[in-house]
Amino acid sequence: MSGLPASNVTDPVPATGAGPRHVAIIMDGNGRWAKRRFLPRVAGHKAGAEAVRRTVTAAADMGLGALTLYAFSSENWRRPAEEVSDLMGILRLYLRKEVAELHKNGIRLRTIGDIGALEGDLIDLIREGVERTKDNRRLDFVLALNYGAQDEMVRAVRDIAREVAAGRLDPSAIEPGAIEARLDTSDLPPLDLIIRTSGERRLSNFLLWQAAYAELLFVDTLWPDFDADTLAAAVADFGARDRRFGGR
């Protein structure tokens, strides 16, 4: 496991030795996992769904406040149509099978991103899952679907521009908090840790605003192999860091 030094978060108090409240994961490596086993890419995506199940359970057991998974980016539409269809089918199956288990375990399902671009039956499954679990408090499990951080920020800025144009907001009063309040994550804990699997070292348009003071950790583990031990090691790495938030 390898990490990058980071300087980060909106929380002004250093939390050396403390565990993260909000962890986000860029799930990468499904295709390479399948290729190494001479399997079709869809097999890697199916194995990745199993890793989601393991990781959500582990996050709840560890007492995290929120877990956000980058499930489908706004750029993923550029993939071959067959692969996009496979991904959406796996998401359907996951929601049909797992929402009851999430609810049983006190986990609240959330989404960020523009789900309105998804197919109607999938939108219905997502909304039903969100509604069914809305009163759960053990863990906020957030799926980033058709999500892109730049799009998220553009939507926030457009909303502010409309408020200014209507005379309801003075431009001189616009501060970072005005943008944060309009982001998809506005009612989630501040982001503490971003993990990216498979050895890649970039954020890929994921939670760019929220990552301002988040710790970054890049691991070589391919996503289908990610499990409770991998998550525990990442949390331990986080706890050993000295988070200064630019204060010293």
Side-chain angles (χ1 to χ4, degrees):
M1 181 177 295
S2 60
L4 287 183
S7 54
N8 312 350
V9 103
T10 52
D11 186 338
V13 182
T16 302
R21 294 160 294 179
H22 184 179
V23 173
I25 305 178
I26 301 172
M27 305 179 292
D28 198 7
N30 291 349
R32 274 165 283 177
W33 184 93
K35 185 176 181 180
R36 290 178 184 180
R37 289 161 176 79
F38 304 100
L39 297 171
R41 285 180 67 86
V42 67
H45 294 315
K46 289 178 179 177
E50 292 298 321
V52 169
R53 181 180 294 108
R54 292 194 300 269
T55 304
V56 171
T57 298
D61 290 344
M62 293 172 63
L64 298 184
L67 174 71
T68 299
L69 301 183
Y70 205 5
F72 192 86
S73 79
S74 52
E75 289 76 30
N76 286 158
W77 295 109
R78 301 172 188 166
R79 294 187 178 189
E82 183 178 359
E83 183 174 0
V84 171
S85 179
D86 287 339
L87 287 167
M88 294 301 163
I90 290 169
L91 177 58
R92 281 187 182 88
L93 184 62
Y94 178 87
L95 292 168
R96 287 171 179 154
K97 291 176 59 178
E98 296 300 318
V99 167
E101 192 68 15
L102 293 174
H103 186 50
K104 176 183 174 182
N105 290 317
I107 297 169
R108 177 165 57 171
L109 177 65
R110 310 278 298 277
T111 66
I112 58 174
D114 179 16
I115 68 167
L118 305 179
E119 293 182 8
D121 68 311
L122 190 48
I123 295 172
D124 290 342
L125 283 171
I126 292 167
R127 288 176 175 166
E128 288 166 8
V130 169
E131 177 65 22
R132 183 172 181 181
T133 63
K134 66 180 181 180
D135 295 324
N136 296 337
R137 293 295 180 268
R138 187 176 175 215
L139 171 73
D140 277 328
F141 168 37
V142 186
L143 283 173
L145 295 168
N146 193 29
Y147 173 86
Q150 292 175 334
D151 172 71
E152 177 187 33
M153 287 187 277
V154 166
R155 287 187 278 113
V157 171
R158 284 175 177 164
D159 187 60
I160 288 173
R162 284 191 288 267
E163 293 289 302
V164 170
R168 294 189 293 266
L169 181 63
D170 185 339
S172 65
I174 299 173
E175 297 181 347
I179 296 175
E180 290 178 353
R182 291 168 170 82
L183 297 178
D184 296 348
T185 56
S186 61
D187 57 348
L188 290 170
L191 182 61
D192 292 316
L193 173 64
I194 295 180
I195 304 166
R196 182 167 188 150
T197 61
S198 86
E200 301 293 346
R201 287 164 170 77
R202 56 184 178 272
L203 292 181
S204 296
N205 198 21
F206 184 52
L207 298 176
L208 300 181
W209 178 283
Q210 298 86 341
Y213 282 99
E215 297 293 316
L216 307 179
L217 182 64
F218 302 100
V219 301
D220 292 329
T221 305
L222 299 178
W223 175 248
D225 294 324
F226 199 94
D227 58 17
D229 289 341
T230 322
L231 181 61
V235 168
D237 182 285
F238 174 91
R241 298 188 185 190
D242 181 14
R243 305 184 73 199
R244 297 184 296 274
F245 308 107
R248 55 185 168 86

